[in-house]
Amino acid sequence: MSTQEDEAADPLRPDAYKGTQATMTARLIFRQFGFLFLAATFLLFATFFINFYDGLLDFGDIWRNSPTLQWGPFAIHSWLVIVYGYVFLVGILFALGPSERSFRLFFFLMMAALLAIHYDHSILDWFLRAFLTADIRPQNAVSVFKILFSCLFLVVIIVMHYNVLSDDFARRFLRRGVPTDEVARVRPGVFKVLVPTILSAAALATALGLLGELGQLIFRDTTFLPGKLQLFVLAGLMVPVAFLIRGILRDLAGQRKNRTQPRPNR
Amino acid sequence: MITRSAHTYFKAFSLLFLVGLAFGNLNYVLLGIFLLAFVLLGLNVAEPRGALVTRRFSRMTPRAGDVVDVTLEVEIKKGTGFVEVYDELPELFELVDGSNVHLLWKGLGRAAKATYVYRVRCPRRGGYDLPATQLTLINPLRLRKARVVDAGQPQTLIVRHKAAGVRRMREVRGVAHSTRTDIDLARIGARSTDFDEIRDYRMGDPIKHINWKATARRTTSESALPLVNEYEPEGKKAVYLFLDAATYMQAGSTLDNTFESVIKATTGVVKFFLDKGYKIGGQFFNAHKDVTVYPDVGERQYYRIARELSQLEAGEPQEGALERAVEHNKARLIQMRPVTIVITRPEIDFEDTIRGLKALRRYTSTIRRLHPIFLINPLVYSVVAGNDQYAQWTTTLLRAENRSRYQVLTRMGVHVVDWDPKREDIGVRLLRQVRTR
C-alpha cells in the first residue's frame, strides 16, 4: 500500500510520474465512490432481509416505522442515511489515505456492519436465555438472500481493496522506472485473477447457503438429516480445502529453503 | 510467506467463523467460508516460475564513453502473476535510453516472452561485474510475499579507455631535447639474419655461427679461438613503464580526473612503442593492487596492458614504492637495459622519487652508456585551482618552486616532461620536445 515514500517524485521519470499520479488519484477516487455506492446498496439490501425482529415486525413495518430525516424541502429515510452515510464515511477516509492500516480499519468496520445486520435470534435467544431467562424462537435464522447480498457486499469491499492495491502497485513500478505501457497492464492483470477467484469464493458460500436452505425445506420434519447433511457437505468441501492448505504449506516450506538475500537498495 | 492483506482476510474469516460457531449463526459461518475460500484460492494461484533469461551486450569490451545496447530476453513458462525484471547496473553507468526495470505479466496458458532493450553509457574505464538479472515473482493478488530470484548468468563488462594519440613527427627535421629511442635495437632476444660483427667464440655459441674462413685467416695470430658471426637480435629496444597509481594522481571528479588522463596517456605511449615494434613491460605501483607486466611485443601485449590499465584502481601511497617496484623488476632491467618511462608526481615525495630513480639508473645504465629515463610529471594544479585567479597564481608559484628541484633530476640524466592533462594532449606535449631547425 502507499506510504510517504511513494509520494516522493520519481527520480527516473519525473514528468511521467507526476502526470500519471494526478490522473491515478482522480481515477482512484472516482472508482472508490462507485464501489462505495455499490457496497452501501448491497448492505442496504442485506439489511432489508433483517430478521432481528423476525416474527415481530415485517419489512414494511421496519421501513414505515423508521423516522425520516427532514432537511429543508428534502426528506431522507433514516435507513438510507445510516447505511450510505456509514459506508461512505468509512470508505472516503480509506480512499483519501490508502494504506495498509487504513484498509484494515475500513475492512473491520465494514465487517462490524456485516455482523450487525446478521445479528439475529440465535444470539438474542442465547442472550435472553442466559441473562433474562426468556425464550424467543427464530422462525428462519438463515436467509439465503441475506447471504447473497452480504457476499456481494464483501465482493465489492475486496474489489475496492484491489482497486487501491493496483494503483499502489502501478505507482511503485513507475517509481522504479518501469515503462508506463507496462505499468498499464497492472490493473487488468490483477482483475483477471481477482474476478474468477472472488466469483468462485462467492459461489461456494452461496451454494452452501442454498444447501442449508434446501436442507431445511426438504428435511423440515426430521431432526436428524438437515444438520447431518450440512456436516457432510462441509466435510466434503474440507477435503479440497485441506489439499489447498497442504499445497500452500509445502510451497511456503520450499520458499523458506530458497529464500534469497534481500534486494539491494536501488 | 503470506502478506498482511492475507492476514487481514484470514482474521476476518476467523472472527466470523468463531462467532458463527459460538452463537450457532450459519450466516456468519458462510460469510467466513467465503473469505477463507477467497484467501485459499488466491494463495493457490501459482506464482510465475520456469524463468529463462538471456542477456546480450552489443559490445563486450566497449571504450569509455561508448553506448552499449543491452538486450534482455525473458521467458516465463508457468504460473500466473507479475514478474519484475531488474538488471542492476554499476553505479557509474548512465542509462541513456529504455529502462533496466520492466514488468512482465504472465497470464494463464501459454508462456510469456518479452524482449527488452536498453542503452547504457559506460563513462569510466574499468571491469564492471553485472550480477545476474533479478526476477521478482509477484503473486497477482498480493496474498503471498514477492520472491526474488536470480536468472541468467553474472557477466563482466570490461570498459577500455581511449588511448591518447601519440604520433611521430614526420618530414620535420629538428633537434630533440633528448635522445629517445627510435632505431635502438634489442639487447637480448631471438637473433635475426642481419649480420652485425665478427667476434671471438664464446661458450654456448652455436657451431653453425663459426666463420671458418675468418678463423682460418686468424691461424697466424696468437689467439686460437675460432671467430663467430654475430647477428643482430630481432626487434627493437625494450621500454619499461613505471606508473604511479597512488590516490594523489587523482584530481578532479570521479569520472574525469587526472588519473584517467594519465591512463589514457600511458595507453597511447604503449601503443606508440608497440606499433614501432618495441618490447614493452612495466610495473604499476602504489595501486590498489600492484600489477607487473612482463615485457613483450605485439598486439596481444597491447590488449594485455590495456586490460590491466582499464582495471587499475588508485591505491594509498606507500613510502619507497618506486624503489620497491624497481627492485622487483631488477632482473629484467639488468637483462634488457630498457628505456624507462616513469609517470609520477615527484613533488609529492621528492626524496622518495630520487631514491627510486637512482635504483633505476643503477640497473639500467652501464659505465659506458646512460640509458635514457623519462619522467612524465602530470600537473594537477590547473584542475585543483579551477577558474580562481588567485589559486592559479599560487599554482604558478608552486610550479616555479618545483622547477629548481627538477634540475636535480636533470643532472641525474632524467628527462622531465611536465604535462598538464587538462590543457594539452600527451602527444602534443611530447611533440613539443622537438625544436625545428
Side-chain angles (χ1 to χ4, degrees), chain B residues 83-97:
Chain B
V83 181
E84 191 198 59
V85 184
Y86 172 60
D87 244 357
E88 194 180 347
L89 295 176
E91 263 183 45
L92 287 173
F93 276 31
E94 183 193 348
L95 196 63
V96 178
D97 191 22

